[in-house]
Amino acid sequence: MINLTTMDIVIIGSGNVASVLGRKFKAAGHRILQVVSRNASAASKLAYEWDTESTNYISLVNKKADLYLVAVPDDAIPHIVSELKLPAKKILAHTAASVSKDVLKNVSDHYGVFYPLQSLRKEMKALPEVPVFFDGNDEVARKALEKLAHSIAEEKVEAAGDDARMKLHVAAVIVSNFTNHLYALTEDYCKKEGLEFKQLLPLIEETASRIKSMSPKQAQTGPAIRHDKETLQKHIELLKDHPHLKNIYVLLTESIQQLK
Ligand SMILES: NC(=O)c1ccc[n+]([C@@H]2O[C@H](COP(=O)([O-])OP(=O)(O)OC[C@H]3O[C@@H](n4cnc5c(N)ncnc54)[C@H](OP(=O)(O)O)[C@@H]3O)[C@@H](O)[C@H]2O)c1
């Protein structure tokens, strides 16, 4: 019988998600029994931080944990789990939004997904707020993963099957990865034009925080939504030396103007 309040956990992977979730599990009172990773130095660093063991051989996985969490890139999950041999009744989960839980079905009776809807980096100094979307093939897996999620995310926990998670992932990629890519392109533009990207930080913060209290559509400002044609023409002219950014500028201007 698993003690759902303090679980014994093995983490497979030693990257961003493994590091941040491991820290959150420790902070919530769970025990990390082992870190398993092909990256021996990253695994032993995490094991030292959590006062536990590590191995880079999946065949040496500790068999005594309650729950095994696979936090490796999406495409590597099938291969890693094909090498994983677990005793009966263990709970196995991966952390990918866009990979079906069924990829784990041949390895354990109780399996599921523990998807943290947050942009996680192992270098993060403070532990971020991490909403969790979980799924499980049966009541045992669902209950354990839900309880684990509540222990690190309090109320920000929801069940989400394969389809719902994939849809959420698309939305997450757009609001986080694409927005950040626009920052990266803009930083590059600033460098080339002798401007300082950091002068834009108050604007970035205000724009992001505004949508906590109003719809992004209502919050839209700028020359595109005002149809300031002359200003738009001047901007496009200025961007002729930055053709890639110019294309994005034109595309997004049209998108803003067409949104009903
Ligand atoms: N980062 C996020 O914000 C985030 C948020 C939610 C969900 N996720 C999901 O969490 C999972 C892990 O993401 P991550 O950001 O933690 O990735 P990551 O930082 O790149 O870490 C991946 C880990 O898996 C290992 N690995 C990579 N390829 C492997 C392979 N072919 N075989 C065995 N081990 C391999 C890496 O070892 P090396 O160091 O040797 O490469 C590393 O330990 C993904 O499924 C991702 O979709 C990520």
Side-chain angles (χ1 to χ4, degrees):
M1 190 66 178
I2 301 173
N3 174 351
L4 293 178
T5 310
T6 53
M7 291 187 215
D8 288 345
I9 300 171
V10 165
I11 295 186
I12 300 166
S14 56
N16 294 314
V17 171
S19 303
V20 178
L21 287 187
R23 286 176 194 135
K24 294 203 67 109
F25 293 150
K26 278 287 276 185
H30 303 291
R31 287 175 294 269
I32 314 286
L33 291 199
Q34 189 185 40
V35 183
V36 182
S37 176
R38 71 170 186 186
N39 186 334
S41 90
S44 74
K45 220 166 141 191
L46 287 179
Y48 178 78
E49 179 182 328
W50 300 331
D51 192 20
T52 189
E53 303 168 359
S54 67
T55 179
N56 54 340
Y57 295 105
I58 193 112
S59 56
L60 296 182
V61 68
N62 186 313
K63 304 276 163 68
K64 294 197 173 130
D66 304 309
L67 190 139
Y68 295 76
L69 192 71
V70 180
V72 301
D74 300 9
D75 294 350
I77 298 171
H79 174 67
I80 293 284
V81 298
S82 72
E83 298 195 330
L84 191 58
K85 303 273 173 289
L86 297 179
K89 310 231 179 291
K90 302 297 183 183
I91 293 157
L92 175 64
H94 68 64
T95 57
S98 294
V99 177
S100 169
K101 62 180 179 301
D102 292 336
V103 75
L104 309 174
K105 72 177 176 201
N106 294 329
V107 191
S108 178
D109 296 332
H110 312 301
Y111 58 89
V113 179
F114 192 88
Y115 167 53
L117 181 49
Q118 183 53 283
S119 173
L120 303 176
R121 292 188 50 84
K122 56 161 57 179
E123 299 81 11
M124 286 173 146
K125 296 231 161 55
L127 285 179
E129 184 180 43
V130 180
V132 176
F133 291 80
F134 71 95
D135 190 15
N137 72 308
D138 65 3
E139 203 44 36
V140 175
R142 275 194 294 274
K143 218 167 149 191
L145 291 166
E146 181 173 18
K147 187 89 185 177
L148 183 65
H150 277 296
S151 75
I152 65 162
E154 292 173 8
E155 297 312 307
K156 295 197 163 46
V157 175
E158 269 186 58
D162 288 344
D163 285 355
R165 269 194 336 276
M166 182 128 68
K167 287 178 187 167
L168 262 176
H169 194 201
V170 170
V173 165
I174 294 169
V175 298
S176 176
N177 306 149
F178 288 5
T179 307
N180 193 66
H181 180 63
L182 288 178
Y183 297 157
L185 290 174
T186 308
E187 184 184 41
D188 197 42
Y189 162 82
C190 286
K191 268 187 206 141
K192 287 180 184 147
E193 295 295 340
L195 305 169
E196 280 197 67
F197 178 75
K198 73 170 187 228
Q199 288 174 329
L200 299 166
L201 291 180
L203 171 65
I204 290 171
E205 280 175 15
E206 170 59 27
T207 312
S209 76
R210 193 178 293 159
I211 56 167
K212 288 177 188 166
S213 57
M214 65 199 295
S215 145
K217 199 168 139 188
Q218 287 165 346
Q220 190 70 53
T221 60
I225 197 78
R226 289 192 302 267
H227 294 268
D228 281 337
K229 285 200 190 92
E230 279 186 29
T231 299
L232 289 168
Q233 216 38 58
K234 284 188 221 160
H235 289 182
I236 290 164
E237 175 66 19
L238 186 75
L239 286 171
K240 70 178 185 313
D241 296 335
H242 309 270
H244 180 60
L245 198 53
K246 181 179 144 188
N247 288 340
I248 292 173
Y249 189 100
V250 170
L251 185 78
L252 288 180
T253 296
E254 283 169 6
S255 178
I256 290 169
Q257 292 180 341
Q258 283 162 10
L259 187 67
K260 298 276 178 259

